[in-house]
Amino acid sequence: MDVMGRRNLFFAISAIVILVGLVFLATRGLNLGVDFTGGSLIRVRLDHPVTAAEVRDALVAPELADMHLEKAVIQPIEGTNDVQIRAHVQGKPLSDPQLKRVVDTLSARLGSASVIEAEMVEPVIGKELLSKAMMAVLLGWIGILIYVSVRFEYRFAVAGVAALIHDVLVILGMFAILGREVNSPFIAAVLTIVGYSINDTIVVFDKIRENLKFRKRETYEELVNKSITQTLGRSLNTSLTTLLPVIALYLFGGATIKDFSLALIIGLISGTYSSIFVASPIWLIWKNWERDRQRKFAVAKAR
């Protein structure tokens, strides 16, 4: 399996995917949810238990069509007749008349409904949450950079973090392309993928390090190809067994966790790809560059 011989092809594939995602990010932006833009957190009590699907059907009814509540996050409260709704109208909390229309529609379609609690999430809180989320991802990268540098070497650390940046950009780009909502669970999914992807990458790096000890006449390209081949089965099996339940979660888990599970699916695929086709080639290019530089220095010194 000549992965290193085709590394430019794999870099090109990653570059195209990321570039398209960046174009959508720049032109369309992310579809930020209530957690980031601000909105309303409403707890409604009905006279009987209802499912999230029933409430969603009511929120997308023609009488509320102008409010575009199809992306509202709905969570029935277990053991009660209450349901919590997180929603916004054009990035703003629901006004009193809009809240009344929602309650009237729920009453008309699901039975008697009344507001138990209504809180407004201001955009400033959303911005603070967004900056903390970005800080969490950044600190995660720095921690990984330090840990892998100590346990392996700094080249592996930089290549691994580059692959993680690749994964995060792919997830953000795909969400921008698909217009899916970015909320707090999305951040949790991204951090999960950061941890998963570096684990997968470390498996390949560990095999490279092990093979380096027994390297005789093999080139770095041959050694990395050999290491990837030796770990490929493990990587694919781990990814597939992780991916299958996440796909099941996406298909049958309900609307509230659909975006979360979609981020995991994209991240798992990207993480597996980057650990094989991005991280190792970056390390190889770095090693070859250092080898060529040392040769040129030795030749210059000999003269």
Side-chain angles (χ1 to χ4, degrees):
M1 186 175 180
D2 186 17
V3 173
M4 295 304 105
R6 299 184 180 89
R7 58 182 180 269
N8 289 335
L9 171 65
F10 299 123
F11 283 149
I13 292 172
S14 292
I16 290 170
V17 172
I18 290 173
L19 190 62
V20 172
L22 289 176
V23 169
F24 273 82
L25 279 170
T27 56
R28 186 187 292 180
L30 290 171
N31 177 19
L32 298 175
V34 173
D35 297 336
F36 299 113
T37 62
S40 297
L41 294 174
I42 310 163
R43 182 164 178 163
V44 178
R45 178 161 296 168
L46 296 112
D47 57 5
H48 64 281
V50 293
T51 64
E54 290 173 328
V55 176
R56 186 172 301 283
D57 288 342
L59 293 180
V60 298
E63 48 267 45
L64 298 177
D66 60 309
M67 294 171 65
H68 303 290
L69 298 176
E70 56 272 9
K71 291 186 178 179
V73 179
I74 303 162
Q75 183 179 7
I77 309 299
E78 192 173 351
T80 71
N81 295 339
D82 297 356
V83 61
Q84 188 180 62
I85 301 171
R86 292 190 294 169
H88 63 85
V89 176
Q90 297 179 342
K92 298 178 181 177
L94 275 65
S95 63
D96 289 341
Q98 289 171 333
L99 183 58
K100 185 176 183 304
R101 286 175 58 194
V102 169
V103 175
D104 290 346
T105 303
L106 291 175
S107 297
R109 292 180 172 268
L110 300 176
S112 177
S114 58
V115 176
I116 302 301
E117 187 178 4
E119 297 180 9
M120 308 301 164
V121 179
E122 296 297 332
V124 65
I125 297 176
K127 288 180 181 178
E128 184 181 341
L129 183 61
L130 182 61
S131 64
K132 286 183 177 178
M134 293 173 66
M135 183 62 69
V137 174
L138 186 62
L139 289 176
W141 286 343
I142 293 173
I144 290 169
L145 197 64
I146 294 172
Y147 179 77
V148 178
S149 294
V150 172
R151 291 297 304 270
F152 287 79
E153 62 169 63
Y154 66 94
R155 299 180 198 85
F156 282 132
V158 174
V161 171
L164 295 181
I165 294 172
H166 165 281
D167 298 337
V168 172
L169 289 176
V170 168
I171 298 173
L172 287 173
M174 290 303 296
F175 263 60
I177 293 170
L178 298 173
R180 303 301 289 261
E181 185 172 298
V182 173
N183 46 28
S184 297
F186 173 84
I187 301 301
V190 170
L191 290 173
T192 302
I193 291 303
V194 167
Y196 174 87
S197 181
I198 192 64
N199 180 60
D200 210 28
T201 303
I202 286 298
V203 170
V204 181
F205 284 168
D206 192 43
K207 183 56 70 176
I208 292 174
R209 184 176 64 170
E210 182 182 318
N211 287 333
L212 276 171
K213 297 177 183 175
F214 305 104
R215 179 187 176 216
K216 295 179 180 177
R217 295 182 177 179
E218 289 179 316
T219 64
Y220 284 129
E221 283 84 352
E222 292 169 340
L223 186 141
V224 175
N225 277 332
K226 178 182 175 183
S227 302
I228 289 175
T229 302
Q230 290 172 330
T231 57
L232 187 62
R234 182 266 180 202
S235 295
L236 293 180
N237 287 335
T238 303
S239 299
L240 283 174
T241 52
T242 309
L243 196 57
L244 288 176
V246 177
I247 291 175
L249 200 63
Y250 176 79
L251 294 175
F252 308 111
T256 54
I257 58 172
K258 235 178 177 47
D259 289 333
F260 171 75
S261 48
L262 178 63
L264 287 180
I265 291 171
I266 296 170
L268 285 170
I269 295 172
S270 176
T272 305
Y273 178 89
S274 67
S275 65
I276 299 171
F277 302 114
V278 176
S280 301
I282 289 175
W283 178 86
L284 174 68
I285 290 171
W286 197 338
K287 289 292 287 185
N288 284 341
W289 175 77
E290 284 188 340
R291 180 198 58 196
D292 294 341
R293 189 183 64 168
Q294 289 170 357
R295 284 177 179 172
K296 288 179 182 177
F297 180 75
V299 170
K301 192 176 180 180
R303 288 176 182 171

